[in-house]
Amino acid sequence: MNEKTSRPALATAGRTSPTLEDLASAAGVSRSTASRAINGGSKVSPEAQAAVDAAIVALGYTPNRAARSLVTRRTGSVALVIPEPDARVMMDPYFAAVITGVNEALRETDLQLVLLMSRAGDDSARTIRYLRGGHVDGAIVVSHHRADDWVETLGATGLPTVFIGRPWDTESGIPYVDLDNFEGGRLAARHLAGIGCTRPATVAGPTDMTAAVDRLEGWLQGLREAGLEPGPVIHGDFTTPGGADAAAQLLATSPDVDGIFAASDLMALGVVDTLRGSGRQVPGDVAVVGFDNHPIQASNGLGLTTVAHPVADIAAAAGKLLVSAIGNPGEAWEPVIYPAELVVRGSTAL
């Protein structure tokens, strides 16, 4: 056995946890070099880095996070901020896909994900205090509303931040990753017009969310391009009960509607339930288009025509963008916009 391979046993004799000095001795490098190697320093030769990596494995060395944070000013954590009620976060498959995507982006890093669910008022203030307190290295904000002040507040802290979905204030310079929601709404309108619908309507999303506003504007543009009147607009809340209630209001005021675009698949399920409950056939009497392409859309036995929304991919892109922003402070980042795509299924197969 040569001198280097014998060092781990000698250095750790009688100890349960090897120290940085033990690691440096085992790798045959100085303490400062070992520290830079485990903290991702750039002034470390490939040979020294390889020696330190091998010694970490041989010793079972675990860095002291508290000491490391003093050197790097990093916490090793990032926050996913969801300003929605707990019950909705747990029930809506959208948020599960977001968490999956962000976790995938962090898989090859040492960063851990902290989930913060926050509503307006005291919860929001508490979350802001936490983010300002140096507990995380960056934040991703998803499902934000017009009344939220996340852009202004986080922008003022200098904390690296990425939005999933276009923020209301795009002049702040905070980067975001989104789907082309306008084009998605436009595709829905063009499709319903193309299959012969002449009395279309929409169950739109909440007016305080940019995704809902963009989908509605795209829908109206698509109808104009098809030479159709705008038709009725009823706003829902992106939930199945909300979609059912909105559809009931719609049928009460416009019973002759022959095509409905629901701005989310969850709302589309509620729309279909209400249509069937009123004795109407889907798609024979009323064609329906949803938005999101969630697996849950098949739960009612009807293949739902929908606009694909690659939520997990978008969330993963946001996670990667945040990692880059943390590693390159001060750099400007352009928005990342995914193209919209219509997936045609049985709910519009006339």
Side-chain angles (χ1 to χ4, degrees):
M1 181 178 297
N2 61 35
E3 181 183 356
K4 179 168 288 190
T5 57
S6 68
R7 280 175 177 157
L10 294 173
T12 60
R15 291 181 183 166
T16 59
S17 179
T19 66
L20 181 59
E21 287 76 10
D22 295 332
L23 180 68
S25 177
V29 300
S30 69
R31 186 183 187 282
S32 60
T33 298
S35 177
R36 289 197 302 273
I38 64 175
N39 288 317
S42 58
K43 297 180 180 180
V44 179
S45 70
E47 295 80 9
Q49 185 69 57
V52 172
D53 290 343
I56 289 174
V57 174
L59 293 172
Y61 176 79
T62 301
N64 183 322
R65 289 286 180 183
R68 181 177 178 180
S69 66
L70 291 175
V71 176
T72 64
R73 298 185 182 276
R74 299 280 176 83
T75 67
S77 300
V78 296
L80 175 61
V81 181
I82 307 179
E84 296 288 355
D86 295 4
R88 184 180 174 195
V89 174
M90 297 305 175
M91 296 296 293
D92 192 330
Y94 172 81
F95 297 109
V98 168
I99 294 170
T100 297
V102 174
N103 266 327
E104 183 61 32
L106 301 181
R107 188 178 301 279
E108 300 302 320
T109 75
D110 290 331
L111 293 168
Q112 295 296 319
L113 185 62
V114 177
L115 180 60
L116 302 177
M117 290 180 284
S118 172
R119 291 296 290 164
D122 290 343
D123 283 351
S124 176
R126 182 176 59 182
T127 300
I128 292 298
R129 287 195 300 271
Y130 181 86
L131 295 173
R132 282 176 167 169
H135 300 289
V136 295
D137 298 324
I140 296 173
V141 181
V142 62
S143 195
H144 44 287
H145 299 257
R146 187 191 292 269
D148 298 333
D149 59 355
W150 296 108
V151 171
E152 296 82 359
T153 304
L154 293 179
T157 67
L159 182 73
T161 303
V162 175
F163 274 68
I164 295 177
R166 177 177 66 84
W168 285 101
D169 178 11
T170 57
E171 300 299 318
S172 65
I174 292 181
Y176 63 93
V177 184
D178 202 0
L179 179 74
D180 188 342
N181 288 292
F182 179 92
E183 181 62 14
R186 178 179 174 274
L187 289 174
R190 299 282 295 184
H191 177 67
L192 287 175
I195 63 173
C197 294
T198 58
R199 299 178 301 280
T202 183
V203 175
T207 59
D208 67 342
M209 301 186 73
T210 58
V213 170
D214 291 347
R215 292 171 195 181
L216 177 58
E217 290 183 353
W219 161 259
L220 296 175
Q221 176 64 25
L223 293 182
R224 285 192 291 267
E225 293 172 356
L228 295 176
E229 293 297 318
V233 177
I234 304 293
H235 289 276
D237 60 359
F238 283 151
T239 69
T240 297
D245 290 345
Q249 296 177 50
L250 182 60
L251 294 181
T253 57
S254 304
D256 61 343
V257 65
D258 60 0
I260 298 176
F261 166 50
S264 79
D265 285 347
L266 289 181
M267 291 200 301
L269 294 181
V271 168
V272 170
D273 288 344
T274 296
L275 290 171
R276 288 174 168 174
S278 70
R280 292 170 172 82
Q281 299 294 315
V282 178
D285 298 316
V286 184
V288 177
V289 177
F291 202 111
D292 285 327
N293 199 28
H294 285 321
I296 198 173
Q297 57 84 22
S299 65
N300 63 0
L302 174 71
L304 181 67
T305 295
T306 185
V307 178
H309 187 184
V311 178
D313 291 343
I314 288 174
K320 292 176 181 177
L321 184 56
L322 181 62
V323 171
S324 296
I326 292 171
N328 301 275
E331 186 168 340
W333 305 93
E334 293 296 322
V336 178
I337 309 297
Y338 280 66
E341 177 184 0
L342 186 73
V343 180
V344 179
R345 297 192 180 98
S347 66
T348 60
L350 299 179

